Amino acid sequence: PNPGWTSINRGVLICDECCSVHRSLGRHISIVKHLRHSGWPPALLQMVQTLASNGANSIWEHSLLDPAQVQSGRRKPNPQDKVHPTKSEFIRAKYQMLAFVHKLPCRDDDGVTTKDLSKQLHSSVRTGSLETCLRLLSLGAQANFFHPEKGTTPLHVAAKAGQILQAELLVVYGADPGAPDINGRTPMDYARQAGHMELAERLVECQYELTDRLAFYLCGRRPDHKNGHYIIPQMADRYTPNLDLSELAKAAKKKLQALNNRLFEELAMDVYDEVDRRENDAVWLTTQNHSTLVTERSAVPFLPVNPEYSATRNQGRQKLARFNAREFATLIIDILSDAKRRQQGKETSSPTVDPGIDDDQHDYDSVASDEDTDSELTTQNNNNTQRSNRAKSMDSSDLSDGPITLQEYLEVKKALASSEAKVQQLMKVNNNLSEELRRLQKEVWRVGGADPPTLSVAPHSHLHRRERQAFSMYEPGAAPGPTAHGPPALDSLAARLQPLNTPSGSKSERHGSGTDSDYDNTQTYELSLSMGRSSEEEGGGELGEPNPSLPCTEDVILKTEQVTKNIQELLRAAQEFKHDSFVPCSEKIHSAVTEMASLFPKRPALDAVHCSLRLLASSASRLQVECRKAAPSEPGAPAVDYQLLTQQVIQCAYDIAKAAKQLVTITTREKKQ
């Protein structure tokens, strides 16, 4: 009764108890906002209320409403059930795992299904049926889909039809208000030409939502967007007695300006999310019954982890919570100033940007001193987002060492730059050593009169993609270091190369994105060797020499269908929580993958084929390793986190399907040529 909160992207109303769980999921799962104590753009509030009153909740509970599914034993918790673990587990299954959403019949090419859904969305947004569009989005329709025949995106269609609520929904799901159509016209242009001026103005606000909200957080004002798009607050005298920037602050600002646009946007989005967290915290603390509801479990002390981000970026996001009011305000002002500089650099001729205001000239709005509390800094705000971010809560031990200082921030950035250079150097040296080792090994075997063996060497396998990305997340990038000089002796080469080809012993980052892991590569290369045996036995080229031949397209498609069928069986088991079926399903998939890989030559001439086969083999091996964790454990062994395990299994299955699809595409293209 009387729900006080809403999940904007899910279109549902939620109570105080469930709000704490939603917030711990992260914004990429659930965008939470208070119905009465937060500032709302009228159209956004109307969109949420329309979805909630028209059964949006049934989209996320589809299978629970099916009488045939009652026998599965899954039920919706009662209001009297405990928040933890009963309600929290249900909420995670419902919104994070999408366990109850209607599943479409799988096709061989999942891209076609997504394209069909996106075309339906493109057509549906001209109507007022919000729940239909939300259902399509929940199934995978793309809000930024560019229709190849129409030359427009769904937001262009909604703008032309004057469907302001549809436009709000699309923007929440990531639609770009500034996206051009085939003739270069934006959705704002469509709305203006159709006479929908209110919608056109709202789309402009959506385009500048990030900077508008940062400014409003500090000074309680937003630009009107008719005379300029930026308000840049200035510190009050009581904040910093000397308004001249210190050398340290100038250096920090230069670092910020040196970031490329992608990294700058990521940092700005992270700060935006921290603003949202702090404002929701302030509302939460002022609206709850502290004696019954405000507990350690309901607190969200820092931004939840997003598995799609690198470990370094997630750590940086969490450390934003350690900035005090003054430090956080300084960072926001620097971001706003640089956002304006970058925008004016791209649009110097645009009449909507005020070129008469210098980058260093500010609208002088006082910002509260660091004696003020965060709740006093918090103001009511506009909370519409164009991004899909944020997941899972995390242990707060990283926040126990006090506020971060600007000096620490700069030292960390310098260390990251140095680490990136070392990583690049190691990668390059490792590649050179691997090639030299192969050449010398082949020469030794040739002199000895024997056929050279195939080396199971994986260049820089110790540097997984997630770790490599982590070093460059907040830095423009460091140049690779120097390469190795002169070929050393074979024994020395082997000794130096061995540590680089040994899988990392650390498992500390396994909770990350799930797309990479620290598993031993032995199985991968054993499978890779078995892939090529049939082609070698058939005389498909001398061992070690590239083979330009490709299998028949029909054979590849047939094997892909078998792989897909087995993956579907595994996913059904995951959906129905039949963890004991994981191992037999993974064995079937591994067998099907081996059969498919055996169609291709052991040394394919095309790099694309080689990479796809590597992904196929490694993903199948990783899947086996993960699925074995679901087997009954010994008495006294740690309990298995089946939620995390299921995520890893699904990611491996996705990688297998992706690799199989790539092989079909490459084979079809090459045969046509």
Side-chain angles (χ1 to χ4, degrees):
N2 301 319
W5 299 80
T6 180
S7 174
I8 295 176
N9 57 325
R10 304 302 184 181
V12 297
L13 306 181
I14 51 181
C15 66
D16 291 336
E17 285 187 337
C18 294
C19 169
S20 64
V21 183
H22 276 257
R23 290 191 61 206
S24 70
L25 296 178
R27 286 174 51 84
H28 86 293
I29 301 296
S30 185
I31 304 172
V32 175
K33 192 175 179 69
H34 199 277
L35 285 168
R36 294 177 293 277
H37 293 273
S38 298
W40 282 88
L44 182 62
L45 180 59
Q46 186 181 352
M47 184 270 288
V48 171
Q49 292 174 334
T50 301
L51 283 175
S53 61
N54 283 276
N57 196 45
S58 64
I59 295 175
W60 314 110
E61 296 181 357
H62 176 85
S63 64
L64 294 179
L65 303 175
D66 184 357
Q69 296 292 329
V70 176
Q71 299 178 356
S72 67
R74 295 308 301 269
R75 68 172 182 86
K76 184 173 181 177
N78 295 317
Q80 297 78 18
D81 290 334
K82 293 182 178 180
V83 177
H84 301 282
T86 308
K87 289 181 179 178
S88 62
E89 288 182 355
F90 175 80
I91 291 171
R92 290 181 183 277
K94 179 179 175 181
Y95 296 112
Q96 188 171 14
M97 307 300 295
L98 301 181
F100 316 120
V101 173
H102 175 61
K103 304 295 191 301
L104 289 178
C106 294
R107 301 189 185 182
D108 295 338
D109 186 349
D110 58 355
V112 174
T113 301
T114 301
K115 186 175 181 181
D116 289 344
L117 290 169
S118 300
K119 284 187 174 181
Q120 292 182 45
L121 178 68
H122 190 278
S123 176
S124 298
V125 292
R126 63 168 52 92
T127 72
S129 181
L130 278 179
E131 60 274 17
T132 298
C133 294
L134 180 60
R135 190 177 299 276
L136 291 169
L137 289 165
S138 73
L139 293 173
Q142 300 299 305
N144 272 318
F145 172 72
F146 188 85
H147 200 296
E149 289 84 23
K150 308 290 186 181
T152 56
T153 68
L155 193 55
H156 287 96
V157 177
K160 184 176 181 180
Q163 294 289 347
I164 189 168
L165 302 188
Q166 295 281 23
E168 293 283 357
L169 178 62
L170 290 170
V171 170
V172 165
Y173 272 83
D176 181 5
D181 69 356
I182 195 171
N183 296 315
R185 294 182 298 170
T186 66
M188 286 91 82
D189 296 329
Y190 274 70
R192 292 190 185 99
Q193 291 169 5
H196 307 302
M197 302 310 296
E198 179 184 358
L199 175 54
E201 292 175 1
R202 176 63 187 142
L203 289 173
V204 173
E205 292 176 357
C206 291
Q207 189 172 18
Y208 291 93
E209 158 66 13
L210 190 150
T211 52
D212 282 6
R213 186 166 185 189
L214 296 187
F216 192 81
Y217 174 75
L218 289 184
C219 65
R221 291 201 301 122
R222 294 186 181 90
D224 58 10
H225 294 292
K226 295 178 181 177
N227 300 317
H229 296 305
Y230 297 93
I231 291 178
I232 304 177
Q234 176 69 15
M235 297 290 189
D237 287 352
R238 59 182 178 142
Y239 220 32
T240 49
N242 185 1
L243 288 178
D244 294 333
L245 293 177
S246 66
E247 291 301 319
L248 194 61
K250 289 180 180 179
K253 194 168 185 178
K254 288 181 179 179
K255 289 273 189 180
L256 190 69
Q257 293 174 348
L259 294 175
N260 61 38
N261 287 337
R262 179 183 65 84
L263 296 179
F264 176 78
E265 289 168 2
E266 288 177 352
L267 177 60
M269 288 191 293
D270 294 344
V271 171
Y272 177 100
D273 291 339
E274 175 64 14
V275 165
D276 181 78
R277 186 196 67 81
R278 293 190 182 204
E279 291 184 333
N280 275 338
D281 269 352
V283 173
W284 176 265
L285 292 173
T286 58
T287 58
Q288 303 311 303
N289 181 341
H290 289 248
S291 63
T292 59
L293 285 178
V294 180
T295 65
E296 292 182 1
R297 289 181 179 271
S298 65
V300 183
F302 51 85
L303 290 175
V305 171
N306 185 345
E308 297 179 2
Y309 293 162
S310 70
T312 300
R313 183 174 179 187
N314 274 312
Q315 291 168 6
R317 285 164 52 80
Q318 291 171 356
K319 288 181 179 179
L320 289 173
R322 290 162 48 181
F323 281 62
N324 61 31
R326 175 189 175 191
E327 292 166 343
F328 193 52
T330 302
L331 178 59
I332 290 176
I333 291 173
D334 283 348
I335 289 175
L336 287 171
S337 299
D338 209 52
K340 179 179 178 181
R341 179 186 66 83
R342 292 170 189 252
Q343 183 73 10
Q344 288 186 349
K346 289 192 296 184
E347 300 183 7
T348 53
S349 60
S350 172
T352 60
V353 177
D354 183 5
I357 301 178
D358 183 74
D359 288 342
D360 293 328
Q361 182 178 346
H362 304 285
D363 294 324
Y364 287 88
D365 291 275
S366 295
V367 179
S369 70
D370 58 332
E371 297 173 355
D372 297 326
T373 63
D374 282 340
S375 59
E376 289 172 336
L377 266 177
T378 303
T379 50
Q380 306 310 320
N381 56 75
N382 172 11
N383 183 19
N384 179 30
T385 185
Q386 302 176 28
R387 296 161 291 106
S388 173
N389 296 332
R390 329 314 170 223
K392 293 184 184 178
S393 61
M394 190 176 183
D395 180 61
S396 61
S397 60
D398 187 47
L399 305 179
S400 61
D401 52 347
I404 187 172
T405 65
L406 193 56
Q407 180 63 37
E408 290 174 335
Y409 174 72
L410 294 177
E411 289 175 355
V412 169
K413 289 175 66 65
K414 183 177 180 180
L416 287 177
S418 176
S419 298
E420 169 68 3
K422 293 177 182 177
V423 169
Q424 295 287 351
Q425 180 179 357
L426 281 173
M427 290 168 60
K428 199 160 188 177
V429 169
N430 193 22
N431 281 330
N432 292 340
L433 293 176
S434 299
E435 292 298 323
E436 184 65 18
L437 179 59
R438 290 190 185 94
R439 186 187 69 78
L440 293 176
Q441 191 83 303
K442 191 173 182 180
E443 182 68 18
V444 169
W445 282 91
R446 185 185 65 79
V447 172
D451 292 331
T454 302
L455 297 178
S456 298
V457 176
H460 56 266
S461 62
H462 68 303
L463 295 172
H464 298 290
R465 182 170 68 241
R466 181 173 65 250
E467 296 169 315
R468 294 197 298 271
Q469 289 175 340
F471 285 114
S472 60
M473 186 55 63
Y474 286 111
E475 200 69 14
T483 59
H485 299 286
L490 183 60
D491 292 341
S492 176
L493 266 173
R496 292 171 60 186
L497 191 60
Q498 182 59 35
L500 299 181
N501 296 318
T502 303
S504 171
S506 172
K507 301 291 186 284
S508 60
E509 289 189 2
R510 190 169 291 181
H511 66 271
S513 67
T515 57
D516 295 272
S517 64
D518 296 327
Y519 302 124
D520 195 319
N521 292 319
T522 304
Q523 297 182 32
T524 300
Y525 295 103
E526 287 176 354
L527 181 58
S528 300
L529 287 173
S530 67
M531 290 176 183
R533 287 187 184 126
S534 60
S535 60
E536 180 186 352
E537 293 167 358
E538 295 169 3
E542 182 183 352
L543 180 62
E545 294 298 326
N547 189 336
S549 63
L550 287 175
C552 174
T553 304
E554 289 74 16
D555 291 342
V556 177
I557 293 175
L558 185 63
K559 295 298 182 183
T560 302
E561 290 175 349
Q562 185 62 39
V563 172
T564 304
K565 179 181 177 181
N566 293 325
I567 289 177
Q568 290 172 357
E569 182 181 349
L570 174 65
L571 295 182
R572 280 194 296 270
Q575 182 181 355
E576 297 169 4
F577 303 96
K578 296 180 179 178
H579 302 114
D580 54 344
S581 300
F582 279 11
V583 171
C585 287
S586 68
E587 296 296 337
K588 292 179 182 179
I589 293 173
H590 191 276
S591 177
V593 164
T594 304
E595 292 179 7
M596 180 177 180
S598 67
L599 298 174
F600 293 84
K602 187 172 183 179
R603 290 289 307 278
L606 294 175
D607 289 340
V609 174
H610 178 71
C611 292
S612 297
L613 287 172
R614 286 278 299 277
L615 176 61
L616 189 71
S618 61
S619 300
S621 297
R622 287 168 46 206
L623 179 65
Q624 282 189 305
V625 173
E626 290 293 343
C627 288
R628 288 184 189 128
K629 297 177 183 177
S633 57
E634 297 293 332
V640 178
D641 185 349
Y642 284 107
Q643 178 179 322
L644 178 60
L645 176 62
T646 302
Q647 289 179 344
Q648 300 283 20
V649 167
I650 291 174
Q651 181 63 53
C652 292
Y654 171 80
D655 289 340
I656 293 171
K658 176 182 176 182
K661 176 182 174 182
Q662 290 172 348
L663 290 172
V664 172
T665 302
I666 295 169
T667 305
T668 304
R669 182 181 67 240
E670 293 298 321
K671 291 297 182 182
K672 287 182 179 180
Q673 292 177 351

